[in-house]
């Protein structure tokens, strides 16, 4: 069964529940930028998210330089945002 | 003591010794793109590099999506490439 893409209304509701995230310009992904004390903390965070990503089989796109991590969530199978992105974003919000 | 930036000649020699790497357009960084079997392998690789990066206090800029990792090495204190980048690149080449 294909993964359902959120409707515009669902996407709006999801964004309201994720204040740390912003919609990418094309509307197909959400983005959050995080800053940690140092590289060790940043990579520790990434490791925790990586384990969760494997568990739920939904993976982030992310960029890291030293204490900064920029995360992009999208669902390729849905060609946009799905509930999987919302769930992973909420997990991430619970970790930081 | 500031970290010395490689001279053009040194940079040329370094690149010859790092065939998997390419010079970024501005000449201030080297880049390598890697592809692994899956996310677990990609993140396992990143974890090994992260531990080394902490050990030598020199950190990569990197982007990951699923099984792909794009690594950029540069030395901010040298405003370009230094021997630290060469050493970390060689470590990475030894891991993959």
């Amino acid at each position: 069964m294909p993964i359902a893409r959120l409707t515009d209304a669902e996407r709006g509701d999801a964004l309201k529940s994720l204040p740390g995230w912003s919609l990418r310009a094309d509307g197909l992904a959400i983005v959050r930028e995080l800053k940690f004390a140092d590289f060790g903390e940043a990579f520790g965070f990434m490791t925790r998210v990586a384990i969760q990503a494997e568990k739920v089989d939904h993976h982030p796109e992310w960029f890291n330089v030293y204490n900064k991590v920029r995360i992009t969530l999208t669902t390729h199978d849905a060609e946009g945002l799905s509930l999987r992105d919302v769930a992973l974003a909420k997990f991430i919000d619970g970790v930081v």
Side-chain angles (χ1 to χ4, degrees), chain A residues 10-82:
Chain A
E10 287 167 340
R11 193 176 65 183
D13 288 346
L15 279 164
K16 274 182 211 150
S17 73
L18 298 167
W21 296 77
S22 56
L23 194 64
R24 201 171 64 186
D26 63 10
L28 303 179
I30 50 173
V31 180
R32 183 166 184 187
E33 294 193 23
L34 294 162
K35 195 169 177 180
F36 297 87
D38 54 30
F39 177 76
E41 280 200 18
F43 201 79
F45 158 79
M46 291 175 74
T47 303
R48 196 155 168 202
V49 174
I51 291 166
Q52 178 70 7
E54 276 292 269
K55 186 174 166 184
V56 299
D57 193 23
H58 189 60
H59 302 85
E61 298 180 19
W62 46 11
F63 173 80
N64 159 245
V65 55
Y66 195 58
N67 63 338
K68 291 180 203 153
V69 182
R70 180 186 165 91
I71 309 166
T72 301
L73 300 179
T74 187
T75 302
H76 292 106
D77 288 351
E79 295 181 352
L81 284 172
S82 77

